[in-house]
Amino acid sequence: MNNQYKGFVLQQDQADCGVACLLSVIRYYGGDNNLEELRKLSGTSVTGTTLLGLYQAAKKCGFNAEGCEADTQILADYNMPCILHVKNSHYVVFYNVIKKGATLKFVIGDPEKGIIYLPEEDLKLLWISGKCLELTPDSSFKKAADIRKEKIRWIYSVIRNDIALLGVATILGILISVLGLALAIFSQRLIDDILPHKAIVKLEAGLALILLLLLLKEFLSLLRQRLLISQSRDFNNRIINFFYDRLLYLPKPFFDSRKTGDLTARLNDTARIQKVISQLAGNVVTDAVVVLVSCVFIFIYSPVIGLATIIIAPLFYLLIHFNLKKIVSGQTGIMQAYAQCEGNYISTLQGIDTIKNHNKLSLFSFSNKRYFENYQANIFLLGKLQVTLSFVVNIFCVCFLTGVLAYCSYEVLNNQLKVGQMMAVIGISSTLLPGIANLALTAVPVNEARVAFNRMFEFTLALPESLANGEEPDDINSITLSHVAFRYPGRPPVLADISFRLQKGEAIALIGENGCGKSTLTQIIQKHLLYESGSIHINDTLELWAINTSVWRKLSCIVPQQPFIFNSTILENIAFDDAVNNTQAVIDFLATYGFDEFFNRMPQSVYTLVGEEGLKLSGGQKQLVALARAAYSRPKLLILDEVTAAMDSETEFFTFNLLQKLKADITIIFISHKLHLLNNLCDRMVIITKGMVGAMGSAPELLKQDNLYSTYMHNMLKIYSTSYAG
């Protein structure tokens, strides 16, 4: 294959043709990425992705991207890589036009077939739509070489504090290796010199010296192991601290596109990285020194065996090299399978109520078994490969040692070698060969760590939220949305044209059918999602995106439809650290606003432990805790998403009274499907239809029109009339 097409990627699945094309173009320009990440960026599902999804992913990968319609003549004039949308919702890469014989051929990268060369007429039949995506790298495009440099800088920053300690451990390893040869050398002197001459004094001195050296070796081994354990502790603490600090500051969409199990599995990746660092600083250096020193001594005793050792050693490395791709593939498969296994297990535990209520125990049991069996199958395949490699390596060792023994024996019989020298050569060879084998097999854990490292490095590439920069308003007097539009990657617009204005002291209701974009709009207002077009102005002068995110989230607060409850007390769920640091103030706040009447009914009042995810609370009680949590933060903008959906009538009545009290000093956005309750709280209602504001006004105004609210109220009136008549 021509070098310029070497980065071409075949699809793993029929739905992957689009992202495979994008990855091929990325690699064509010297960059790198992976299909898994591109699937997330492009919104690829089981049916594939759209040209829009590829456009959005390409922009995030550092390309100037432009969707257009063209023909083969324009394509030939363009003569640069682009993605073509061809028949059967398939995608291919156009690379360039070349001359083959007397005809021009279009070089096409088909993710299903590979690189193919098509004449113009064949391409016309394939590329009926004429739609394509032009891609050229911009200043933010990262070359693979630059990414490698970033990886080196990152791993250096992680182990920088350990370099001195690892250096000492390495030096100790070298000393231990040298001392380990002392017994073999002493044995040679003992057999060839001391015992034949009955040199008692030399024997006693030699035994004393060898005892001292071996004891020193053990002492240095103990010291080295303690240093490595200390380094392991400090390194793991440091990298986990980095992991948490980086993870929690990533934007919310990062978490929405990943399973919990995949994120928790990254913690295990740190252990793999640390294991290899310790192995490189300890065993690898030690083995290298053993091999070097052993070769020197073998050459001194027998140049022939020394030469044979030099010839055989590369065979070990060739054996590993030829199987390296299988090893890397196996290690990647294990890590991915483990993440899937853990993710499915966590999901099962989180949904245990639903599973039991629907009597789906056997289904989820089978699902977990299937994921675990897949994980074990990957372990088995890699283990089988490793066992085979170890077997072949051991066969090499056995054959070589047998050959050494045979050669040395003949040399002794021919008086070319002394018995003690033969024993020394055999003893040193027995330590030399495992050292060579260990060095060759180091590629296995090193590649495992490399895969783990790449997974951890993903967090350094993901841009954290910018929390500390921007304007810092101290109040919210108005919020103005003008023609706001938003879509998820590769999907049609969720919001197409949203415009309305809110004032301080006003409560509005966002209503609409399920999936119309109400919750998405609140996520945009919370700065968890960035709108695609339009504008949102705060206090008429500040653009929402220009406001300091940390300050904004102190001014605004949301009570979600399904609030998360932590496994702690009610008080800690409401006030977090203030529950300990400012306990009385929190209790006074709950009493002032009337929450205490409800929480005092709990077994230990606000000190009641609520269990994992609020297991001991009802749905309505969880929503009440979330409402108290939001009110305690004293927001200027309060967003309520189905906040009373699970409440009983008493708690719902309390909630509306509370909101009426709070309303004078704040702005409230209320989302609810209980439309008959909204007139008691909301000054206006905004009805979202097909991503746009379909109607807006007060309850009396909307009742005079044909819209979702008036239809709902008329239907409710019919129901009540029928019930009353009955």
Side-chain angles (χ1 to χ4, degrees):
M1 184 186 293
N2 192 311
N3 281 337
Q4 62 181 328
Y5 315 134
K6 192 167 63 174
F8 177 71
V9 178
L10 292 171
Q11 65 192 44
Q12 294 181 359
D13 185 84
Q14 201 168 16
D16 283 339
C17 61
V19 290
C21 288
L22 180 56
L23 182 55
S24 297
V25 177
I26 291 172
R27 291 183 176 174
Y28 176 88
Y29 285 109
D32 199 14
N33 210 303
N34 59 75
L35 291 177
E36 182 184 3
E37 181 63 19
L38 294 179
R39 288 186 196 109
K40 295 167 186 171
L41 295 178
S42 63
T44 298
S45 65
V46 291
T47 57
T49 187
T50 62
L51 208 58
L52 173 64
L54 293 177
Y55 167 86
Q56 293 171 317
K59 296 285 284 185
K60 292 176 182 176
C61 291
F63 281 103
N64 288 315
E66 184 178 352
C68 57
E69 291 190 6
D71 55 32
T72 52
Q73 184 57 53
I74 295 173
L75 199 63
D77 293 339
Y78 181 69
N79 212 30
M80 292 171 62
C82 61
I83 298 175
L84 309 182
H85 182 243
V86 297
K87 288 196 302 185
N88 301 322
S89 298
H90 191 53
Y91 296 96
V92 298
V93 179
F94 163 73
Y95 281 103
N96 57 2
V97 176
I98 61 172
K99 193 167 185 179
K100 278 204 163 191
T103 60
L104 290 178
K105 298 277 189 171
F106 288 77
V107 182
I108 302 295
D110 187 333
E112 189 175 13
K113 301 175 183 176
I115 299 295
I116 56 177
Y117 302 88
L118 296 179
E120 186 174 4
E121 291 305 314
D122 288 356
L123 182 58
K124 283 181 179 179
L125 293 174
L126 180 67
W127 186 35
I128 298 173
S129 71
K131 295 177 181 177
C132 64
L133 184 64
E134 296 179 0
L135 302 170
T136 53
D138 62 21
S139 58
S140 66
F141 183 79
K142 289 186 177 180
K143 298 263 188 180
D146 296 329
I147 295 174
R148 281 194 294 271
K149 289 177 183 177
E150 283 187 31
K151 289 180 179 180
I152 292 170
R153 283 195 293 268
W154 180 66
I155 194 64
Y156 175 75
S157 69
V158 172
I159 67 170
R160 181 174 51 198
N161 296 334
D162 297 326
I163 290 176
L165 191 146
L166 291 172
V168 173
T170 300
I171 293 170
L172 290 176
I174 293 172
L175 292 174
I176 291 166
S177 302
V178 173
L179 290 173
L181 296 172
L183 187 59
I185 297 169
F186 176 72
S187 298
Q188 183 265 318
R189 299 293 297 169
L190 181 67
I191 295 170
D192 290 342
D193 184 24
I194 298 174
L195 293 180
H197 295 90
K198 299 183 180 179
I200 304 300
V201 175
K202 283 185 179 182
L203 176 63
E204 292 173 348
L207 289 173
L209 178 62
I210 198 66
L211 175 63
L212 181 64
L213 292 176
L214 292 178
L215 288 175
L216 178 61
K217 173 177 172 289
E218 295 304 320
F219 173 76
L220 293 178
S221 296
L222 173 65
L223 180 60
R224 176 173 163 275
Q225 288 300 321
R226 287 191 174 181
L227 286 174
L228 289 176
I229 290 172
S230 174
Q231 183 273 333
S232 177
R233 177 200 62 199
D234 295 342
F235 174 85
N236 284 329
N237 285 335
R238 200 159 50 247
I239 199 169
I240 288 299
N241 288 339
F242 164 83
F243 177 79
Y244 284 136
D245 289 343
R246 188 81 184 185
L247 179 69
L248 296 179
Y249 286 90
L250 291 174
K252 187 173 177 291
F254 179 89
F255 299 92
D256 295 338
S257 62
R258 286 161 176 81
K259 289 186 176 182
T260 304
D262 183 45
L263 296 176
T264 56
R266 304 300 169 96
L267 297 176
N268 296 320
D269 293 341
T270 65
R272 293 185 176 97
I273 297 171
Q274 166 55 31
K275 178 183 175 182
V276 169
I277 289 174
S278 296
Q279 188 169 345
L280 289 175
N283 299 343
V284 172
V285 174
T286 302
D287 289 332
V289 172
V290 167
V291 169
L292 182 61
V293 175
S294 297
C295 283
V296 171
F297 276 103
I298 287 177
F299 258 104
I300 291 172
Y301 289 126
S302 176
V304 174
I305 295 176
L307 184 62
T309 303
I310 293 175
I311 294 172
I312 288 177
L315 296 177
F316 290 94
Y317 297 97
L318 289 174
L319 177 67
I320 299 300
H321 176 74
F322 288 136
N323 290 278
L324 195 56
K325 191 173 182 180
K326 292 181 181 179
I327 292 170
V328 173
S329 176
Q331 290 165 336
T332 304
I334 286 174
M335 292 184 193
Q336 291 175 346
Y338 177 78
Q340 293 171 349
C341 183
E342 186 161 341
N344 194 69
Y345 178 67
I346 291 172
S347 177
T348 300
L349 294 180
Q350 290 174 337
I352 191 65
D353 283 349
T354 302
I355 293 169
K356 285 182 173 292
N357 291 339
H358 289 270
N359 197 28
K360 295 297 179 181
L361 303 174
S362 58
L363 172 66
F364 281 85
S365 176
F366 173 76
S367 173
N368 278 282
K369 289 176 184 176
R370 185 165 53 85
Y371 276 106
F372 189 75
E373 285 170 359
N374 179 53
Y375 171 53
Q376 290 299 317
N378 278 275
I379 292 176
F380 172 75
L381 289 174
L382 182 60
K384 189 167 68 171
L385 177 60
Q386 290 175 329
V387 168
T388 303
L389 288 176
S390 296
F391 171 76
V392 175
V393 167
N394 290 334
I395 292 296
F396 268 109
C397 292
V398 169
C399 292
F400 182 75
L401 279 175
T402 304
V404 168
L405 179 59
Y407 177 80
C408 288
S409 298
Y410 283 111
E411 287 290 282
V412 170
L413 292 175
N414 293 325
N415 296 319
Q416 298 296 315
L417 199 67
K418 295 181 180 179
V419 175
Q421 291 175 327
M422 181 185 76
M423 297 304 296
V425 169
I426 293 172
I428 293 173
S429 296
S430 64
T431 58
L432 169 65
L433 290 177
I436 294 175
N438 290 338
L439 288 174
L441 291 170
T442 299
V444 177
V446 165
N447 276 289
E448 183 179 0
R450 186 164 65 86
V451 174
F453 170 76
N454 288 335
R455 284 160 54 84
M456 286 291 292
F457 185 70
E458 178 187 349
F459 291 98
T460 68
L461 294 178
L463 294 176
E465 288 184 296
S466 178
L467 299 178
N469 300 319
E471 302 289 339
E472 300 185 5
D474 55 10
D475 201 355
I476 300 176
N477 295 312
S478 67
I479 303 174
T480 306
L481 291 86
S482 299
H483 308 294
V484 172
F486 175 83
R487 73 176 86 217
Y488 292 99
R491 301 180 191 175
V494 178
L495 304 174
D497 186 1
I498 301 294
S499 299
F500 61 85
R501 179 180 173 87
L502 299 87
Q503 295 284 144
K504 184 176 182 178
E506 184 181 24
I508 72 158
L510 290 180
I511 61 178
E513 301 292 353
N514 290 332
C516 71
K518 303 184 295 295
S519 296
T520 297
L521 183 58
T522 64
Q523 291 291 306
I524 291 172
I525 294 173
Q526 275 287 97
K527 294 192 72 175
H528 290 310
L529 299 173
L530 181 63
Y531 44 96
E532 189 175 276
S533 61
S535 64
I536 301 178
H537 283 92
I538 308 302
N539 302 337
D540 294 323
T541 59
L542 300 176
E543 186 80 42
L544 179 61
W545 61 262
I547 293 177
N548 182 301
T549 301
S550 183
V551 170
W552 178 250
R553 288 179 187 161
K554 289 178 182 177
L555 292 174
S556 62
C557 191
I558 185 169
V559 181
Q561 185 174 356
Q562 296 178 330
F564 188 85
I565 304 298
F566 297 93
N567 187 11
S568 55
T569 65
I570 291 175
L571 199 66
E572 288 169 322
N573 267 286
I574 293 169
F576 299 107
D577 51 334
D578 271 7
V580 176
N581 301 330
N582 209 1
T583 307
Q584 192 56 49
V586 181
I587 292 175
D588 291 344
F589 163 81
L590 296 176
T592 300
Y593 287 92
F595 287 101
D596 59 333
E597 180 183 347
F598 294 90
F599 295 140
N600 285 340
R601 299 173 187 174
M602 301 297 291
Q604 282 82 42
S605 183
V606 292
Y607 299 104
T608 301
L609 286 169
V610 297
E612 190 78 25
E613 296 187 21
L615 182 66
K616 298 178 182 178
L617 300 178
S618 68
Q621 288 172 325
K622 290 179 184 178
Q623 290 187 315
L624 189 63
V625 169
L627 180 63
R629 181 192 291 165
Y632 181 74
S633 68
R634 294 171 177 82
K636 300 299 182 181
L637 169 64
L638 182 59
I639 303 171
L640 306 168
D641 191 353
E642 299 285 1
V643 69
T644 65
M647 290 182 178
D648 58 27
S649 57
E650 181 188 7
T651 312
E652 188 173 62
F653 181 75
F654 163 77
T655 297
F656 276 98
N657 282 340
L658 173 66
L659 295 176
Q660 286 288 4
K661 294 176 185 176
L662 296 174
K663 178 181 165 183
D665 299 316
I666 66 173
T667 303
I668 297 176
I669 298 176
F670 200 96
I671 298 174
S672 177
H673 288 288
K674 296 181 178 180
L675 305 189
H676 57 286
L677 299 175
L678 300 180
N679 189 40
N680 299 326
L681 174 68
C682 299
D683 303 291
R684 287 182 298 140
M685 300 180 199
V686 177
I687 301 175
I688 299 178
T689 306
K690 296 181 179 179
M692 297 184 287
V693 176
M696 179 167 54
S698 64
E701 291 170 343
L702 291 176
L703 284 173
K704 297 175 184 178
Q705 306 169 18
D706 182 17
N707 53 64
L708 177 68
Y709 179 72
S710 61
T711 301
Y712 176 88
M713 294 304 293
H714 289 150
N715 289 337
M716 289 295 292
L717 184 61
K718 288 180 182 178
I719 293 171
Y720 288 138
S721 300
T722 303
S723 299
Y724 182 76

PDB file of all heavy atoms in Angstrom, residues 637-652:
ATOM      1  N   LEU A 637     -31.664  32.230  40.714  1.00  0.00           N
ATOM      2  CA  LEU A 637     -32.459  31.538  39.696  1.00  0.00           C
ATOM      3  C   LEU A 637     -32.679  30.115  40.174  1.00  0.00           C
ATOM      4  O   LEU A 637     -31.724  29.384  40.412  1.00  0.00           O
ATOM      5  CB  LEU A 637     -31.732  31.536  38.346  1.00  0.00           C
ATOM      6  CG  LEU A 637     -32.322  30.615  37.265  1.00  0.00           C
ATOM      7  CD1 LEU A 637     -33.729  31.069  36.873  1.00  0.00           C
ATOM      8  CD2 LEU A 637     -31.414  30.559  36.046  1.00  0.00           C
ATOM      9  N   LEU A 638     -33.944  29.724  40.310  1.00  0.00           N
ATOM     10  CA  LEU A 638     -34.278  28.379  40.771  1.00  0.00           C
ATOM     11  C   LEU A 638     -35.019  27.653  39.650  1.00  0.00           C
ATOM     12  O   LEU A 638     -36.072  28.109  39.193  1.00  0.00           O
ATOM     13  CB  LEU A 638     -35.155  28.452  42.023  1.00  0.00           C
ATOM     14  CG  LEU A 638     -35.558  27.115  42.662  1.00  0.00           C
ATOM     15  CD1 LEU A 638     -34.331  26.311  43.081  1.00  0.00           C
ATOM     16  CD2 LEU A 638     -36.465  27.352  43.870  1.00  0.00           C
ATOM     17  N   ILE A 639     -34.427  26.534  39.197  1.00  0.00           N
ATOM     18  CA  ILE A 639     -35.019  25.721  38.132  1.00  0.00           C
ATOM     19  C   ILE A 639     -35.579  24.447  38.760  1.00  0.00           C
ATOM     20  O   ILE A 639     -34.853  23.711  39.426  1.00  0.00           O
ATOM     21  CB  ILE A 639     -33.972  25.371  37.054  1.00  0.00           C
ATOM     22  CG1 ILE A 639     -33.361  26.650  36.473  1.00  0.00           C
ATOM     23  CG2 ILE A 639     -34.592  24.536  35.954  1.00  0.00           C
ATOM     24  CD1 ILE A 639     -32.170  26.398  35.564  1.00  0.00           C
ATOM     25  N   LEU A 640     -36.855  24.191  38.521  1.00  0.00           N
ATOM     26  CA  LEU A 640     -37.531  23.048  39.139  1.00  0.00           C
ATOM     27  C   LEU A 640     -38.064  22.133  38.046  1.00  0.00           C
ATOM     28  O   LEU A 640     -38.940  22.517  37.276  1.00  0.00           O
ATOM     29  CB  LEU A 640     -38.685  23.534  40.018  1.00  0.00           C
ATOM     30  CG  LEU A 640     -38.306  24.582  41.085  1.00  0.00           C
ATOM     31  CD1 LEU A 640     -39.548  25.205  41.693  1.00  0.00           C
ATOM     32  CD2 LEU A 640     -37.451  23.948  42.161  1.00  0.00           C
ATOM     33  N   ASP A 641     -37.500  20.930  37.953  1.00  0.00           N
ATOM     34  CA  ASP A 641     -37.883  19.970  36.913  1.00  0.00           C
ATOM     35  C   ASP A 641     -38.731  18.870  37.535  1.00  0.00           C
ATOM     36  O   ASP A 641     -38.207  17.962  38.180  1.00  0.00           O
ATOM     37  CB  ASP A 641     -36.626  19.397  36.254  1.00  0.00           C
ATOM     38  CG  ASP A 641     -36.941  18.599  35.008  1.00  0.00           C
ATOM     39  OD1 ASP A 641     -38.134  18.367  34.727  1.00  0.00           O
ATOM     40  OD2 ASP A 641     -35.996  18.204  34.297  1.00  0.00           O
ATOM     41  N   GLU A 642     -40.046  18.972  37.348  1.00  0.00           N
ATOM     42  CA  GLU A 642     -40.996  17.989  37.911  1.00  0.00           C
ATOM     43  C   GLU A 642     -40.753  17.798  39.409  1.00  0.00           C
ATOM     44  O   GLU A 642     -40.731  16.670  39.915  1.00  0.00           O
ATOM     45  CB  GLU A 642     -40.854  16.645  37.172  1.00  0.00           C
ATOM     46  CG  GLU A 642     -41.159  16.706  35.691  1.00  0.00           C
ATOM     47  CD  GLU A 642     -42.649  16.818  35.383  1.00  0.00           C
ATOM     48  OE1 GLU A 642     -43.450  16.870  36.338  1.00  0.00           O
ATOM     49  OE2 GLU A 642     -42.999  16.877  34.207  1.00  0.00           O
ATOM     50  N   VAL A 643     -40.606  18.903  40.122  1.00  0.00           N
ATOM     51  CA  VAL A 643     -40.195  18.838  41.524  1.00  0.00           C
ATOM     52  C   VAL A 643     -41.258  18.223  42.430  1.00  0.00           C
ATOM     53  O   VAL A 643     -40.953  17.712  43.511  1.00  0.00           O
ATOM     54  CB  VAL A 643     -39.798  20.245  42.023  1.00  0.00           C
ATOM     55  CG1 VAL A 643     -41.014  21.149  42.116  1.00  0.00           C
ATOM     56  CG2 VAL A 643     -39.062  20.177  43.342  1.00  0.00           C
ATOM     57  N   THR A 644     -42.515  18.247  42.013  1.00  0.00           N
ATOM     58  CA  THR A 644     -43.588  17.688  42.853  1.00  0.00           C
ATOM     59  C   THR A 644     -44.132  16.376  42.311  1.00  0.00           C
ATOM     60  O   THR A 644     -45.162  15.893  42.781  1.00  0.00           O
ATOM     61  CB  THR A 644     -44.747  18.700  42.985  1.00  0.00           C
ATOM     62  OG1 THR A 644     -45.348  18.885  41.685  1.00  0.00           O
ATOM     63  CG2 THR A 644     -44.254  20.047  43.509  1.00  0.00           C
ATOM     64  N   ALA A 645     -43.465  15.799  41.333  1.00  0.00           N
ATOM     65  CA  ALA A 645     -43.993  14.612  40.639  1.00  0.00           C
ATOM     66  C   ALA A 645     -44.277  13.453  41.582  1.00  0.00           C
ATOM     67  O   ALA A 645     -45.235  12.704  41.396  1.00  0.00           O
ATOM     68  CB  ALA A 645     -43.024  14.169  39.544  1.00  0.00           C
ATOM     69  N   ALA A 646     -43.440  13.277  42.619  1.00  0.00           N
ATOM     70  CA  ALA A 646     -43.597  12.130  43.523  1.00  0.00           C
ATOM     71  C   ALA A 646     -44.139  12.542  44.893  1.00  0.00           C
ATOM     72  O   ALA A 646     -44.219  11.712  45.800  1.00  0.00           O
ATOM     73  CB  ALA A 646     -42.249  11.426  43.689  1.00  0.00           C
ATOM     74  N   MET A 647     -44.511  13.816  45.059  1.00  0.00           N
ATOM     75  CA  MET A 647     -44.951  14.307  46.376  1.00  0.00           C
ATOM     76  C   MET A 647     -46.421  13.997  46.625  1.00  0.00           C
ATOM     77  O   MET A 647     -47.230  13.959  45.686  1.00  0.00           O
ATOM     78  CB  MET A 647     -44.733  15.819  46.465  1.00  0.00           C
ATOM     79  CG  MET A 647     -43.282  16.241  46.525  1.00  0.00           C
ATOM     80  SD  MET A 647     -43.138  18.050  46.682  1.00  0.00           S
ATOM     81  CE  MET A 647     -41.360  18.239  46.782  1.00  0.00           C
ATOM     82  N   ASP A 648     -46.750  13.803  47.907  1.00  0.00           N
ATOM     83  CA  ASP A 648     -48.163  13.684  48.270  1.00  0.00           C
ATOM     84  C   ASP A 648     -48.767  15.086  48.324  1.00  0.00           C
ATOM     85  O   ASP A 648     -48.071  16.096  48.164  1.00  0.00           O
ATOM     86  CB  ASP A 648     -48.315  12.944  49.600  1.00  0.00           C
ATOM     87  CG  ASP A 648     -47.585  13.626  50.744  1.00  0.00           C
ATOM     88  OD1 ASP A 648     -47.400  14.862  50.703  1.00  0.00           O
ATOM     89  OD2 ASP A 648     -47.169  12.929  51.691  1.00  0.00           O
ATOM     90  N   SER A 649     -50.051  15.173  48.527  1.00  0.00           N
ATOM     91  CA  SER A 649     -50.753  16.456  48.459  1.00  0.00           C
ATOM     92  C   SER A 649     -50.265  17.430  49.525  1.00  0.00           C
ATOM     93  O   SER A 649     -50.141  18.641  49.271  1.00  0.00           O
ATOM     94  CB  SER A 649     -52.262  16.237  48.596  1.00  0.00           C
ATOM     95  OG  SER A 649     -52.558  15.562  49.822  1.00  0.00           O
ATOM     96  N   GLU A 650     -49.973  16.935  50.722  1.00  0.00           N
ATOM     97  CA  GLU A 650     -49.516  17.820  51.808  1.00  0.00           C
ATOM     98  C   GLU A 650     -48.166  18.448  51.460  1.00  0.00           C
ATOM     99  O   GLU A 650     -47.970  19.665  51.605  1.00  0.00           O
ATOM    100  CB  GLU A 650     -49.397  17.036  53.115  1.00  0.00           C
ATOM    101  CG  GLU A 650     -48.938  17.902  54.291  1.00  0.00           C
ATOM    102  CD  GLU A 650     -48.635  17.088  55.544  1.00  0.00           C
ATOM    103  OE1 GLU A 650     -48.659  15.843  55.464  1.00  0.00           O
ATOM    104  OE2 GLU A 650     -48.356  17.707  56.591  1.00  0.00           O
ATOM    105  N   THR A 651     -47.222  17.606  51.005  1.00  0.00           N
ATOM    106  CA  THR A 651     -45.882  18.107  50.668  1.00  0.00           C
ATOM    107  C   THR A 651     -45.956  19.018  49.455  1.00  0.00           C
ATOM    108  O   THR A 651     -45.248  20.033  49.375  1.00  0.00           O
ATOM    109  CB  THR A 651     -44.935  16.935  50.389  1.00  0.00           C
ATOM    110  OG1 THR A 651     -45.043  15.966  51.410  1.00  0.00           O
ATOM    111  CG2 THR A 651     -43.490  17.415  50.319  1.00  0.00           C
ATOM    112  N   GLU A 652     -46.822  18.696  48.500  1.00  0.00           N
ATOM    113  CA  GLU A 652     -46.973  19.526  47.305  1.00  0.00           C
ATOM    114  C   GLU A 652     -47.529  20.907  47.680  1.00  0.00           C
ATOM    115  O   GLU A 652     -47.059  21.939  47.176  1.00  0.00           O
ATOM    116  CB  GLU A 652     -47.906  18.824  46.323  1.00  0.00           C
ATOM    117  CG  GLU A 652     -47.990  19.485  44.965  1.00  0.00           C
ATOM    118  CD  GLU A 652     -48.803  18.645  43.999  1.00  0.00           C
ATOM    119  OE1 GLU A 652     -50.010  18.424  44.265  1.00  0.00           O
ATOM    120  OE2 GLU A 652     -48.233  18.202  42.984  1.00  0.00           O
TER     121      GLU A 652
END
